[in-house]
Amino acid sequence: MKTSRSFYTYLLTTYLSPYRLQVAGLALTLLTSIGLQVFNPQLMRGFIDAAVAGVAQRILIQISLGFIAIALVRQALVLASTYLGETIAWHATNTLRLDLVRHTLHLDLPFHATHTPGELIERVDGDVDALSRFFSQFVIQVLGNGLLVMGILGVLWWEDWRAGLGLSVFAITALGLLSRLQVLAVEPWRVYRQMSAEFYGFVAEHLSGLEDLRANGATGYVRHRLYGILRRWLKAFHRARLTSTALWGGTVGVFTVGNAIALSLGAYLWNQNAITIGTVYLLFYYTTLLQDPIEQIRAELEQFQQAAASLQRIQHLLKQRSQLRASGQTQLPQGALSVAFKEVWFSYQPSLVTRYLSLEQPPYPTTHNPERATLQNLTFRLPPGQVLGLLGHTGSGKSTLARLLLRLYDIQAGQIYLGGVNISQVSPQNLTERIGFVTQDVQLFQTSVRNNLTFFNPHISDGEVLQALEDLGLMPWLIGLPYGLDTELGEDRSGLSAGQAQLLAFARVFLKNPGLVILDEASSRLDPLTEQLIEQGIDRLLHRRTGVIIAHRVQTVMGADQILILEQGKILEYGDRRTLMANPQSHFARLYAHAALANLGQTPLGRISKEIIRDS
Amino acid sequence: MPVRPQSISVPSIWQYLWQMIRYAQRLYWLDTFLWLVITGFPIVPGLLIREFFDSLTQSPEGGTPWLWIGLLLAAGAGRVIAIFVGRITKTQHRFLMSALVRHNLLLGLLQRPGAELATGGINGHATSPGELLSYFREDAEQLEDTVVGTNEILAEAVFAGVSVALMLSVNATITLLVFVPLCAITALVRRAEQRLKRYRHASRQATQQVTGLLGDLFTAVQAIKVAGAETPMLAELKVRCDRRRRQVVRDQVFTALLNAGFDNIVSLGTGLVLLLAASKLGAQGQLTVGEFALFIYYLSFVTYFLGFLGGFLAQTQQCSVSVARMTSLIGTEAAQPGTSPASVPPTSQPSCLTTPYPLYLKPILGSPPPLPKPAGFPPSEPLQELRVEGLTYHYPGSDNGITNISLTLGRGSLTVITGRVGAGKTTLLRVLLGLLPSQAGAIFWNNQPVTDPANQLIPPRVAYTPQVPQFFSTTLRENLLLGLAGSDIPKRLQGAITTAVFDQDVARLPEGLDTRIGTQGVRLSGGQKQRAAAARMLVRQPELLVFDDLSSALDVNTEQRLWERLLGQESASESDQAAAPSTHRLDHPPTCLIVSHRPVVLSQADQVLVLEAGQLLTASSPR
């Protein structure tokens, strides 16, 4: 993939336009510095000439003071350009970072399943870092030094048109060669940046699983994989840096050849008595004068190679589109929401369903294709305010059903209605606002208890947060924390157990006002006693709301109005809970009986639970 | 067990740099030499061009200038070659430096108690994987830059040294003035030291906050989508990005200010030296014009070096911040002498930042050394009895934890720990396994004290399935084996998968064991992850199995089958796979330590331990 020039222009104009004044200031300071670079050696030469000529001490001191003054001015300019450059670069890259994160967050879950958090961190932070010089200095430096080259050539044309012509040809050749060499290293740098992202992805992933790795004696395995990654990373690094060296080696080579040509020409013409020795020297002198600005441009281009590589990766990320179909802007009705599935088909590999449906092949595993669609031809309707108990073996499609309601994935055929509205027409913001979803895996952030509950939303008051914790019986835990709601939390910090984390997830839903609450194995990590305690909380949560309770245990759904049992993506049984219970032939009644049997051996826990209750 | 002492005596930054240099000394000196050549090369064309003009003006035949032009071309070609070779050595050296640091950071973290990262046990505050990335990126790069900086400064120092020697031969008194700016520069660095470090520390801290939140964001994408929390989360990210911008700009501008200070000192010094030299020109006859020109020429080398040196000294101060950050993460102690009894040797030693581990990278010339074979587990003495006495751990800054826990596990017994949410069940397992450092108490394996449980209570002695098992974005097979290799492994793996009631799920995956299971194993359902974790543990055939709430996502049938197969009570007729490999059953009933609330498990327990608020409430033996 090649990055078009228009993308560079787009980035520069989009991200720099709010800082026009600062950019103008930066341009001024940088161009002045470039100008002074030329002036300083002149002053030095003046000093030497004056000293050798034996002029008065006073004049020497004046020249020295001038020298120092210019040095001071240059330092001030360097400081100013550092400040302006860094500020502009950080403002621009931060805006780009946020845009990238926003974009990435909106990508679908299959994208996130194939990109580790560590890799994504490197893509939105590391790749963007490489752009700071591109935003702040690149254009100004290249333009400024380009101007300098033109100035030098202009003076030369004025002094001797032949010398001017010769060196113009030389400068154009040199710059043309550099811009050609510059492109070479972009691809190797892109590969290198990709390796970096892979490395950071590897590191972050294995640090998250530190406990699992250690406890399974797998540290040797991690080191082994690290060696492999380092090897490939080094190879990419060598390739990128070596192709980049073409620029440096190229500049040195071009100037050597240029000098040699200038001197040969000079020597030849001098031998022909066509020019004076002074002109020969002039030719040589100006070739070396051109060296500095062209070297500067070379250094900028070398940095730009990495920026261009990062830009390609950024552009690639921005081009990723969510596979979800566009949503409408319809709002869901207020109050409890009805849920309806109509002939819904879904597979995580969409082609599977479309193929089956178009060819009318049996949508179940055959010897040719062991795959089956995750959900097959699902139809049911849950009236508003009722609670559905969703049962099934692991892998039967229960959680998938919940994800479809939240439009984390799109169905391939059929329709899903919430409160009578097809969810594909509902605005995504409204959909997530109106559905409360608690899963078994609770994600906590490394920040305060408050932020963990409010997702950093400053509009939720402490009173509301405390009320939610109170409702769930989490107040004793909160009181035990050193800084209350301000206590920093994290994956398992402050001794927060996975069970307590699940309670926090309940509290998050309490802080919303959803019309539909989905509990996906939400209480599976709670002990029976705590489960009983928060049942009141759940009842309150489900009051005047529609509920979907996903469970693998019959007891969990005994309060439900309707029961749906899934098996291998199909409805095994669906109906009113009481009716099903009353029919001993129903799967539900048999499941219940089976579970009751298994629980007969529950004496120890029953006894112990009673003891705990007595104690507390 | 005492709490680990925190960096009692921190070695100076120079010691670290020296150890890093020593890691790849031959490469380092070769690289230094090449850079000396590359930076010194421009002198040669200057000399050649003088000869060229002399030859033009002094020999009218004009035969010789071509010789000088030829030599000029040759010198240029030589420099280009030196540049390419120098880049190669520099690349190799740079990579080696940061790779070693990154390797040692990862190894250090792997050898720390595993749950400590998340619980804030390392340096007082908790650190998430996202935050840790800034250590691997910015701090490792800083150390790399500084080590490489030493050989650049060496090259410059050589030129400056030669120049000073030549200048001394011209005029000693004026030359000695050169040392005035040097003293001023070192004094300035010393004054600025604290501030340099403070700003650098703050900017790293701010960076860490950004990468930490990014990590959280990308780990919890689904939760954020579901909560509709994109906007406030992004607002928080913006706040952190802005804070980082302010801190980094302050850090950079201060560094620039300091560099400006160095340059000003140097140019003042130059001005002074030149004035003095000019005053001695001619009149008193102390300096000839030629000597004066020479003086000015060599002075430029010295002044350049001085400016460079100032910048480098400031850089080492900033580097010491990075080193301090990294060592506080993994500790400073070098390899410890083995203090454990012979029967339970620790498998690895704690590492420090610069320990010279081999990295098995391809050298510049030649082929890469063969990677070490992943070591199999050493055979272990069968478990007769595991005894725990008075185990205590409290989370930093809180009362939560466990207090004075004692228990004994006999061979082949099944022990269930139960209790309410937050009672300390998981903490107990973690402390027992060394995933959290115990603050008091002792552990005995067959009556031998276990001093380093983190490295001793691992397979083949003990294996563990955490409550929320973690998986990696590779194939299912690799996730289960985690590097386990051997001829009997495929068979063992099949057995473990069958025992974990995971066989049918594997058969249903699109590519079976070779299916890539995605970031954090997202392609597996909650119940599948739990059984995959059980299989991962079983394939290691440990003496003691430790499960934390294994069956929380399993339905009753699956759970029952799991326990039956695991505890070896399933009769052949019940097995839904008639051809199930016979190896899946262990040859003796395994010793199990299980956290669970499930009646199925509790009813089969030899002893049930009830935890309440971190203390053992009752022990009962239902059997």
Side-chain angles (χ1 to χ4, degrees):
Chain A
M1 190 177 80
K2 253 198 95 178
T3 311
S4 63
R5 198 154 297 168
S6 63
F7 185 61
Y8 296 139
T9 330
Y10 160 77
L11 281 178
L12 287 174
T13 47
T14 314
Y15 291 101
L16 291 184
S17 58
Y19 311 105
R20 274 184 225 104
L21 271 180
Q22 283 100 320
V23 174
L26 180 64
L28 194 71
T29 49
L30 285 179
L31 294 179
T32 321
S33 304
I34 293 171
L36 280 180
Q37 251 168 22
V38 189
F39 189 63
N40 222 21
Q42 305 291 331
L43 206 69
M44 192 69 165
R45 200 173 61 188
F47 178 83
I48 297 169
D49 288 348
V52 173
V55 296
Q57 187 80 4
R58 197 172 49 83
I59 296 174
L60 281 183
I61 290 177
Q62 275 173 2
I63 298 178
S64 301
L65 287 177
F67 177 77
I68 290 165
I70 286 182
L72 280 173
V73 170
R74 276 187 68 184
Q75 294 311 325
L77 286 173
V78 167
L79 266 184
S81 59
T82 307
Y83 174 73
L84 288 170
E86 289 283 333
T87 308
I88 293 166
W90 278 98
H91 270 300
T93 52
N94 273 346
T95 319
L96 179 59
R97 269 185 197 101
L98 285 168
D99 285 353
L100 276 174
V101 173
R102 185 177 300 115
H103 174 81
T104 313
L105 275 184
H106 283 117
L107 289 175
D108 51 25
L109 291 178
F111 171 87
H112 287 280
T114 46
H115 296 84
T116 63
E119 182 202 331
L120 290 176
I121 293 177
E122 182 61 10
R123 291 190 77 159
V124 302
D125 198 42
D127 279 350
V128 173
D129 255 349
L131 293 190
S132 47
R133 206 175 163 85
F134 167 71
F135 275 123
S136 58
Q137 308 235 333
F138 176 68
V139 176
I140 302 174
Q141 286 284 2
V142 169
L143 275 181
N145 282 294
L147 280 177
L148 197 60
V149 170
M150 275 157 65
I152 293 167
L153 290 176
V155 172
L156 208 57
W157 277 91
W158 188 66
E159 281 194 16
D160 187 326
W161 70 270
R162 285 166 303 183
L165 180 68
L167 281 181
S168 296
V169 171
F170 168 71
I172 288 165
T173 322
L175 288 174
L177 186 75
L178 285 188
S179 71
R180 214 161 257 215
L181 288 175
Q182 180 263 324
V183 186
L184 281 184
V186 175
E187 175 60 18
W189 276 115
R190 195 189 60 75
V191 174
Y192 170 77
R193 295 230 52 102
Q194 189 162 336
M195 272 309 304
S196 309
E198 192 183 319
F199 170 77
Y200 293 114
F202 163 83
V203 168
E205 187 177 50
H206 286 82
L207 290 180
S208 320
L210 216 51
E211 198 181 31
D212 300 55
L213 290 166
R214 297 219 46 178
N216 284 301
T219 50
Y221 159 75
V222 179
R223 284 173 80 178
H224 211 264
R225 276 197 66 192
L226 175 70
Y227 297 139
I229 290 179
L230 285 179
R231 263 186 196 184
R232 283 184 292 133
W233 205 13
L234 174 62
K235 204 172 154 197
F237 194 38
H238 265 303
R239 234 194 104 211
R241 296 240 315 165
L242 204 62
T243 21
S244 263
T245 312
L247 273 184
W248 188 10
T251 334
V252 173
V254 161
F255 273 97
T256 309
V257 173
N259 273 335
I261 290 174
L263 294 181
S264 310
L265 211 68
Y268 174 75
L269 291 174
W270 192 75
N271 278 343
Q272 303 293 313
N273 287 326
I275 51 171
T276 64
I277 192 77
T279 318
V280 180
Y281 185 75
L282 193 79
L283 264 175
F284 165 73
Y285 175 72
Y286 277 105
T287 331
T288 41
L289 209 60
L290 280 178
Q291 190 153 359
D292 249 9
I294 290 183
E295 269 286 318
Q296 287 292 327
I297 292 175
R298 190 270 301 174
E300 288 299 324
L301 286 178
E302 215 173 307
Q303 296 236 359
F304 180 66
Q305 292 174 331
Q306 299 190 43
S310 293
L311 274 172
Q312 281 191 4
R313 288 167 51 76
I314 287 166
Q315 199 179 13
H316 186 252
L317 187 58
L318 285 174
K319 273 190 182 157
Q320 299 277 328
R321 286 277 166 263
S322 173
Q323 296 303 307
L324 296 180
R325 286 183 282 273
S327 331
Q329 286 306 316
T330 317
Q331 303 282 306
L332 290 170
Q334 289 301 308
L337 298 165
S338 64
V339 178
F341 272 56
K342 211 178 151 205
E343 292 169 6
V344 170
W345 288 82
F346 174 76
S347 168
Y348 289 98
Q349 293 158 284
S351 60
L352 206 69
V353 170
T354 41
R355 204 167 59 232
Y356 283 142
L357 290 182
S358 60
L359 297 176
E360 296 183 354
Q361 275 182 357
Y364 42 76
T366 61
T367 40
H368 297 295
N369 196 335
E371 280 285 312
R372 60 169 176 83
T374 314
L375 292 178
Q376 300 160 35
N377 207 14
L378 230 59
T379 304
F380 69 88
R381 186 173 185 281
L382 181 68
Q386 289 210 1
V387 175
L388 175 74
L390 187 54
L391 290 167
H393 287 291
T394 100
S396 59
K398 306 188 298 283
S399 299
T400 306
L401 195 147
R403 290 180 192 148
L404 294 182
L405 276 169
L406 283 147
R407 274 203 82 197
L408 295 173
Y409 297 88
D410 266 337
I411 52 174
Q412 281 97 29
Q415 292 96 34
I416 301 176
Y417 296 95
L418 271 184
V421 184
N422 190 328
I423 58 165
S424 64
Q425 302 304 318
V426 180
S427 93
Q429 187 66 30
N430 186 240
L431 195 66
T432 50
E433 269 169 24
R434 299 303 317 284
I435 304 179
F437 187 37
V438 183
T439 58
Q440 189 185 36
D441 285 328
V442 182
Q443 300 287 352
L444 294 180
F445 304 105
Q446 213 221 297
T447 174
S448 64
V449 174
R450 180 188 299 103
N451 288 337
N452 261 295
L453 292 175
T454 62
F455 284 94
F456 295 97
N457 187 344
H459 302 302
I460 299 176
S461 73
D462 279 8
E464 291 171 78
V465 175
L466 291 174
Q467 185 60 49
L469 292 176
E470 172 80 59
D471 286 348
L472 286 164
L474 273 170
M475 281 314 267
W477 169 76
L478 187 74
I479 290 162
L481 294 177
Y483 309 105
L485 285 179
D486 290 316
T487 311
E488 291 275 313
L489 219 63
E491 275 155 47
D492 283 303
R493 277 147 229 159
S494 312
L496 188 73
S497 73
Q500 285 169 324
Q502 251 176 354
L503 291 179
L504 287 188
F506 275 108
R508 283 175 176 170
V509 177
F510 264 84
L511 290 171
K512 287 192 186 183
N513 183 19
L516 168 67
V517 175
I518 307 171
L519 307 178
D520 185 359
E521 314 272 17
S523 56
S524 60
R525 292 218 174 91
L526 305 179
D527 58 286
L529 230 91
T530 309
E531 208 176 343
Q532 276 170 28
L533 281 177
I534 69 153
E535 238 162 48
Q536 289 179 351
I538 294 180
D539 283 348
R540 204 168 310 151
L541 191 61
L542 292 176
H543 182 60
R544 295 197 197 194
R545 292 192 176 103
T546 313
V548 174
I549 300 178
I550 300 174
H552 45 253
R553 277 161 214 286
V554 180
Q555 295 92 319
T556 320
V557 299
M558 284 318 284
D561 302 298
Q562 293 197 18
I563 296 294
L564 178 68
I565 303 176
L566 279 179
E567 187 161 284
Q568 307 221 357
K570 281 185 278 198
I571 295 182
L572 184 69
E573 193 165 272
Y574 173 52
D576 183 68
R577 179 180 58 86
R578 285 171 229 280
T579 320
L580 291 177
M581 261 314 265
N583 174 7
Q585 292 309 306
S586 74
H587 287 276
F588 181 64
R590 275 185 292 176
L591 271 176
Y592 181 78
H594 184 75
L597 208 68
N599 279 346
L600 280 181
Q602 106 166 274
T603 30
L605 185 72
R607 199 178 68 220
I608 294 155
S609 303
K610 281 187 204 101
E611 280 169 21
I612 297 173
I613 293 166
R614 256 203 316 278
D615 283 3
S616 54
Chain B
M1 221 184 280
V3 181
R4 186 180 341 102
Q6 284 287 321
S7 50
I8 306 156
S9 66
V10 182
S12 85
I13 180 68
W14 301 105
Q15 268 169 283
Y16 279 103
L17 291 178
W18 176 234
Q19 280 165 10
M20 294 295 288
I21 289 169
R22 277 198 9 204
Y23 177 66
Q25 263 209 95
R26 271 174 53 197
L27 187 61
Y28 178 84
W29 293 116
L30 175 67
D31 192 45
T32 310
F33 172 74
L34 279 167
W35 282 88
L36 200 65
V37 171
I38 293 167
T39 38
F41 231 113
I43 297 171
V44 179
L47 297 173
L48 290 174
I49 281 159
R50 199 179 65 198
E51 293 300 319
F52 167 81
F53 279 103
D54 286 351
S55 77
L56 268 194
T57 45
Q58 282 155 23
S59 62
E61 308 84 52
T64 38
W66 307 112
L67 171 69
W68 301 118
I69 290 173
L71 281 178
L72 189 74
L73 281 171
R79 181 150 189 250
V80 170
I81 290 168
I83 283 172
F84 272 97
V85 178
R87 260 288 162 89
I88 292 171
T89 56
K90 183 74 90 200
T91 304
Q92 183 85 7
H93 187 242
R94 271 186 173 276
F95 191 85
L96 265 181
M97 291 299 103
S98 48
L100 178 69
V101 173
R102 286 170 179 145
H103 169 271
N104 289 355
L105 271 178
L106 187 62
L107 191 64
L109 289 170
L110 281 172
Q111 288 175 345
R112 285 268 167 243
E116 217 182 34
L117 274 184
T119 49
I122 296 176
N123 43 14
H125 71 95
T127 319
S128 70
E131 285 187 295
L132 286 174
L133 283 195
S134 75
Y135 290 83
F136 281 86
R137 201 172 61 189
E138 277 87 4
D139 290 317
E141 260 166 31
Q142 175 76 62
L143 190 52
E144 170 197 309
D145 279 345
T146 314
V147 174
V148 169
T150 60
N151 79 10
E152 280 165 18
I153 199 124
L154 262 174
E156 298 298 339
V158 168
F159 289 117
V162 172
S163 303
V164 167
L166 288 169
M167 283 161 71
L168 279 173
S169 71
V170 177
N171 186 312
T173 34
I174 305 177
T175 310
L176 288 177
L177 272 180
V178 166
F179 290 97
V180 176
L182 181 65
C183 296
I185 283 171
T186 36
L188 185 60
V189 173
R190 213 158 267 267
R191 286 218 45 177
E193 187 184 322
Q194 289 312 319
R195 195 174 283 232
L196 263 177
K197 286 185 176 173
R198 198 168 69 236
Y199 288 174
R200 178 49 57 97
H201 194 78
S203 79
R204 284 283 187 272
Q205 205 69 28
T207 303
Q208 189 178 327
Q209 296 262 307
V210 171
T211 55
L213 185 61
L214 284 175
D216 279 353
L217 275 171
F218 292 132
T219 313
V221 176
Q222 182 178 323
I224 292 167
K225 278 177 188 279
V226 164
E230 284 101 334
T231 315
M233 294 296 281
L234 283 167
E236 171 68 13
L237 182 63
K238 183 166 165 28
V239 169
R240 295 193 185 186
C241 278
D242 282 340
R243 194 185 308 140
R244 176 198 196 179
R245 187 199 77 228
R246 284 194 302 275
Q247 301 293 354
V248 175
V249 169
R250 188 178 69 166
D251 183 25
Q252 298 291 346
V253 170
F254 185 69
T255 311
L257 184 70
L258 212 57
N259 278 321
F262 301 143
D263 282 356
N264 282 331
I265 290 172
V266 170
S267 45
L268 267 172
T270 312
L272 214 69
V273 170
L274 285 185
L275 265 182
L276 210 68
S279 71
K280 298 202 171 179
L281 196 64
Q284 284 86 12
Q286 281 164 314
L287 275 179
T288 67
V289 174
E291 281 174 336
F292 178 65
L294 197 76
F295 209 88
I296 288 172
Y297 179 70
Y298 288 124
L299 188 62
S300 67
F301 284 103
V302 182
T303 55
Y304 183 76
F305 168 72
L306 288 179
F308 200 81
L309 181 70
F312 178 73
L313 288 177
Q315 193 192 349
T316 55
Q317 295 303 333
Q318 291 165 335
C319 184
S320 71
V321 173
S322 287
V323 167
R325 274 166 55 85
M326 291 189 282
T327 48
S328 80
L329 201 60
I330 62 168
T332 47
E333 62 261 63
Q336 285 172 344
T339 46
S340 330
S343 71
V344 189
T347 47
S348 51
Q349 298 285 0
S351 78
C352 74
L353 198 58
T354 50
T355 311
Y357 283 104
L359 293 175
Y360 307 99
L361 287 168
K362 184 188 171 304
I364 294 173
L365 299 173
S367 49
L371 286 179
K373 286 254 180 318
F377 300 126
S380 84
E381 191 188 318
L383 172 66
Q384 300 304 331
E385 182 195 78
L386 182 75
R387 199 170 75 246
V388 172
E389 288 175 2
L391 218 53
T392 298
Y393 176 82
H394 290 121
Y395 289 90
S398 90
D399 296 335
N400 297 333
I402 51 162
T403 314
N404 197 21
I405 305 283
S406 300
L407 54 96
T408 306
L409 310 178
R411 179 177 181 77
S413 67
L414 170 64
T415 304
V416 180
I417 303 172
T418 192
R420 298 198 46 187
V421 155
K425 304 182 293 288
T426 301
T427 309
L428 171 59
L429 294 191
R430 285 178 168 170
V431 178
L432 171 65
L433 295 173
L435 297 168
L436 285 172
S438 70
Q439 289 150 0
I443 303 166
F444 300 91
W445 178 275
N446 295 346
N447 279 324
Q448 299 271 7
V450 176
T451 50
D452 180 15
N455 290 309
Q456 291 168 295
L457 296 186
I458 55 171
R461 286 184 202 93
V462 184
Y464 170 56
T465 301
Q467 196 171 14
V468 186
Q470 294 289 328
F471 292 92
F472 310 103
S473 55
T474 54
T475 62
L476 179 58
R477 186 194 309 279
E478 203 168 332
N479 267 289
L480 295 183
L481 292 179
L482 292 176
L484 219 56
S487 56
D488 63 330
I489 286 302
K491 213 170 143 197
R492 257 165 72 177
L493 185 60
Q494 264 319 314
I497 289 172
T498 311
T499 309
V501 204
F502 192 42
D503 39 356
Q504 291 184 357
D505 301 76
V506 174
R508 237 180 271 139
L509 287 170
E511 287 161 78
L513 279 170
D514 293 316
T515 309
R516 300 189 80 85
I517 58 170
T519 308
Q520 298 159 331
V522 287
R523 304 241 160 88
L524 300 179
S525 78
Q528 285 173 333
K529 276 191 209 169
Q530 287 192 327
R531 281 169 295 140
R536 181 175 72 184
M537 173 167 77
L538 290 169
V539 76
R540 304 187 138 61
Q541 300 187 338
E543 288 288 312
L544 172 65
L545 301 169
V546 181
F547 297 94
D548 191 352
D549 205 6
L550 174 68
S551 51
S552 63
L554 304 184
D555 56 87
V556 177
N557 280 334
T558 314
E559 179 178 1
Q560 230 166 24
R561 277 220 304 278
L562 177 74
W563 292 117
E564 281 162 3
R565 290 191 190 176
L566 204 64
L567 304 173
Q569 294 163 344
E570 188 187 43
S571 64
S573 61
E574 269 179 277
S575 167
D576 29 9
Q577 277 210 322
S582 58
T583 44
H584 82 260
R585 212 152 301 151
L586 302 163
D587 40 3
H588 57 88
T591 316
C592 291
L593 179 61
I594 298 173
V595 164
S596 181
H597 317 296
R598 300 287 171 222
V600 186
V601 187
L602 285 158
S603 63
Q604 300 189 35
D606 294 304
Q607 58 174 340
V608 175
L609 308 171
V610 183
L611 275 180
E612 172 80 359
Q615 304 210 5
L616 215 50
L617 206 63
T618 42
S620 68
S621 308
R623 258 194 204 169

